[in-house]
Amino acid sequence: PPPAEKSGSCFFWEMPVDVAPQMSAEAEASSGAKMRAAPLHARASNYNRTKFNDDLARGPAVPRRLSEKGDASDDLPPNPQRSSPFLGKVMLVEDDPMSQHVTSLFLAQYHRVMVSNGLDAVVHFYAILSSPAPAYASRDGAGIDCCVMDCDMPYLSGPEATQLMRSMAHRHPYAAELPIVGATAHALESERQKCILAGMNVCLTKPFSQKAIQQIVQDFIERAREWQNQCCVSSLPPKTFCGGSGSPTCEAELLVQRKLTKVLITALISHIKKQQVQVLSGASDELSLATEAYLHTMRWVCSSLGDFASIEAVDEMLILLLSAPNSPKLSAPGSPKPEASQSLGRTRAVTPTGASEALLSRLTKLAMLTSDFASRTADLSYSEVALQASVRVADLVDLPGARELASKFVELHLELVDELRTLCSAREWSSYYSKVHSLKGAARLIGAISCAQSAEVVELQVGRVMHSDDHLPLLTLFEERLATDLALVLQRVKDLLTAPGGWGF
């Protein structure tokens, strides 16, 4: 029966138990004597309680490298063998070690990606959306079919992480379609509704049975596969792009994006310091792949908020990271190239240690920039933030030769959309990519961050179409969204050029 209000919750778990092997009478008597002599807590389970208690004492761990093997516990059930059929891939987001183990057992027939907190879930999902085939899960691919997410976690809660993942629909519509199953220990209906409003498809109250979670996950995986098949053969409805260009669409989304910038900086500082210790001790000779993943996510959220100065600071850090020897590369779209570091007028890092020290110093600058931007835009509504991200008029006016630059931008891109559609019909992808890439650079130069972000997504999708025509329907939709963003930028720049009060209004 449901507990009375404020009386707490009762938990019951169903777990598979192996049948004990037959023992001789002498061995059974000896084992019974030892068990009776052992203290009560030692008889309860052979779970590694020392490790569990140490984890609780330390509190939330710093997000670690993302991997399919799992970053939270070393004794989780393994993924199915390669010889077994591939039934789907599920991302499990859970911070409690015991719950990780139980949920993994319940979903043992699926391939699983274990993530231990809400921040890593957001970072990992952003990396998935930047992969060649984000919506199509495979045994060795990056995509996932479903996500099972705990609601109470460190860094970002389940509803906050879900809201951020849904706001990535501008990068790929699968962000709006991914089945997300919430799991909460709260029995109140208001808590479940909070999760649903954040974007979860369904929210289960712990404890849930193995049969219940398996049935829900299987149903959602089937629905995800149907969506993937439809994506290949027909156009998707425009409502799929509910996130627009990535800018916040409500006050709650604006608040959680601002929180993400603070959490990312805190996690990056802790992560780089930990990696620096490992490099100095000889335990590792390279910077972690997760560092780059965090930076790419930071770049995305700064673009969504229109924080141009922070974007430039993140680009400097990415260049520095990519310039370090032995540094693993994500090769995410829109990332600056290592050769660009020469234009910064700074010495390239020659060792992982030097790179980590330089990254930490730049993180201090980035923290100051994001804090200053947050204070300057604290009174702006979500719609004003989105408008500011379209064209930062104040920054454009202050640029040297701004009037000539604005006129040239209008002249070069007034007919661009028609040119792109012609190239798309002719399948001239090299020219198509070149024009979109040029637009991305020009848009960033005049402060049209949303348009630059849309161009970056189209640029990524062109690369996918070059490998398979299955992605062509999505390219058409991304192209339409780019046309909308570009039209808004062109109109605002024209208004600026023809303002009655002169240049700069």
Side-chain angles (χ1 to χ4, degrees):
E5 189 173 356
K6 298 183 180 181
S7 65
S9 301
C10 297
F11 296 93
F12 302 91
W13 296 97
E14 295 180 6
M15 295 188 63
V17 179
D18 295 333
V19 178
Q22 292 293 331
M23 302 175 62
S24 64
E26 294 79 4
E28 187 174 358
S30 174
S31 175
K34 290 180 180 179
M35 181 61 74
R36 286 190 295 273
L40 182 60
H41 69 271
R43 304 181 218 167
S45 171
N46 60 357
Y47 181 75
N48 189 339
R49 292 183 177 275
T50 302
K51 178 180 181 300
F52 180 66
N53 291 332
D54 289 345
D55 289 342
L56 291 179
R58 284 195 299 269
V62 174
R64 287 162 282 181
R65 178 171 179 165
L66 302 170
S67 67
E68 185 170 330
K69 184 178 179 181
D71 65 343
S73 179
D74 297 328
D75 57 352
L76 293 176
N79 278 326
Q81 299 292 328
R82 300 192 69 87
S83 58
S84 61
F86 177 75
L87 301 179
K89 184 178 289 186
V90 182
M91 180 168 71
L92 303 180
V93 189
E94 175 62 68
D95 63 313
D96 179 67
M98 182 62 77
S99 295
Q100 290 174 358
H101 199 94
V102 171
T103 310
S104 295
L105 284 174
F106 283 179
L107 302 175
Q109 71 270 40
Y110 301 102
H111 278 66
R112 302 171 305 282
V113 181
M114 180 60 70
V115 181
S116 63
N117 57 71
L119 173 61
D120 271 4
V122 172
V123 173
H124 189 63
F125 190 62
Y126 183 78
I128 289 174
L129 295 184
S130 301
S131 65
Y136 303 93
S138 62
R139 197 183 300 269
D140 301 316
I144 56 175
D145 292 305
C146 183
C147 175
V148 178
M149 183 177 299
D150 184 31
C151 293
D152 296 318
M153 293 182 293
Y155 295 101
L156 293 171
S157 68
E160 290 172 336
T162 299
Q163 196 165 22
L164 287 166
M165 291 164 65
R166 295 300 189 202
S167 68
M168 296 178 189
H170 69 286
R171 293 197 67 84
H172 196 285
Y174 192 54
E177 301 293 333
L178 172 72
I180 300 179
V181 180
T184 177
H186 299 285
L188 299 177
E189 180 64 21
S190 58
E191 293 295 328
R192 293 181 64 257
Q193 288 301 319
K194 176 182 176 182
C195 298
I196 300 299
L197 290 174
M200 294 181 179
N201 297 81
V202 67
C203 186
L204 300 178
T205 301
K206 297 179 181 178
F208 44 78
S209 67
Q210 182 175 11
K211 181 180 179 180
I213 187 66
Q214 284 183 346
Q215 185 62 53
I216 288 176
V217 168
Q218 183 58 40
D219 290 345
F220 277 134
I221 287 179
E222 291 176 359
R223 286 167 54 181
R225 297 288 172 85
E226 290 177 3
W227 181 89
Q228 293 164 4
N229 295 331
Q230 179 189 6
C231 178
C232 293
V233 299
S234 63
S235 297
L236 295 173
K239 70 179 181 62
T240 302
F241 294 102
C242 56
S245 296
S247 297
T249 57
C250 62
E251 293 297 336
E253 198 171 301
L254 173 62
L255 291 175
V256 76
Q257 287 188 1
R258 284 172 171 166
K259 179 179 179 179
L260 179 60
T261 60
K262 299 178 182 179
V263 172
L264 274 170
I265 289 177
T266 302
L268 271 167
I269 292 175
S270 301
H271 183 77
I272 294 175
K273 285 183 177 179
K274 179 181 177 181
Q275 193 67 28
Q276 190 176 29
V277 171
Q278 293 178 350
V279 171
L280 292 173
S281 64
S284 173
D285 62 349
E286 65 178 27
L287 295 173
S288 172
L289 188 67
T291 304
E292 188 179 349
Y294 294 142
L295 286 173
H296 280 299
T297 308
M298 186 73 182
R299 192 179 189 278
W300 160 72
V301 70
C302 290
S303 298
S304 299
L305 294 172
D307 188 357
F308 191 72
S310 296
I311 295 173
E312 291 184 327
V314 173
D315 281 346
E316 286 188 20
M317 296 174 66
L318 283 168
I319 291 170
L320 183 61
L321 182 66
L322 295 172
S323 301
N326 301 327
S327 178
K329 308 298 187 292
L330 279 180
S331 300
S335 59
K337 304 303 180 185
E339 303 81 49
S341 62
Q342 297 174 354
S343 64
L344 296 177
R346 297 180 175 86
T347 305
R348 289 166 60 116
V350 295
T351 64
T353 304
S356 60
E357 292 175 351
L359 285 172
L360 285 173
S361 65
R362 282 167 172 77
L363 267 175
T364 304
K365 172 187 174 183
L366 178 61
M368 294 176 60
L369 288 173
T370 55
S371 177
D372 177 64
F373 178 80
S375 62
R376 285 188 289 107
T377 60
D379 297 331
L380 298 182
S381 66
Y382 74 92
S383 57
E384 291 171 327
V385 169
L387 185 63
Q388 181 175 261
S390 62
V391 179
R392 293 176 61 85
V393 175
D395 292 347
L396 179 58
V397 171
D398 292 339
L399 285 175
R403 175 179 282 276
E404 293 75 14
L405 181 64
S407 300
K408 194 67 175 178
F409 181 88
V410 174
E411 176 187 344
L412 290 175
H413 302 104
L414 196 58
E415 306 295 332
L416 178 64
V417 174
D418 292 334
E419 294 175 10
L420 291 179
R421 288 169 179 163
T422 302
L423 292 172
C424 181
S425 300
R427 298 293 197 273
E428 296 181 11
W429 301 124
S430 179
S431 299
Y432 190 107
Y433 183 93
S434 178
K435 288 185 176 293
V436 173
H437 185 76
S438 298
L439 170 62
K440 182 180 71 173
R444 287 194 60 190
L445 186 61
I446 68 169
I449 300 176
S450 293
C451 183
Q453 192 159 249
S454 296
E456 179 182 309
V457 174
V458 171
E459 191 179 50
L460 171 63
Q461 194 65 23
V462 172
R464 292 169 179 156
V465 172
M466 288 180 179
H467 290 88
S468 172
D469 284 345
D470 290 346
H471 299 281
L472 190 56
L474 282 181
L475 175 61
T476 304
L477 285 179
F478 286 128
E479 186 183 88
E480 291 299 322
R481 211 259 319 279
L482 175 62
T484 302
D485 288 345
L486 180 58
L488 175 62
V489 173
L490 290 173
Q491 187 59 51
R492 294 202 69 195
V493 174
K494 288 179 183 178
D495 292 343
L496 191 63
L497 289 168
T498 59
W503 176 253
F505 299 99

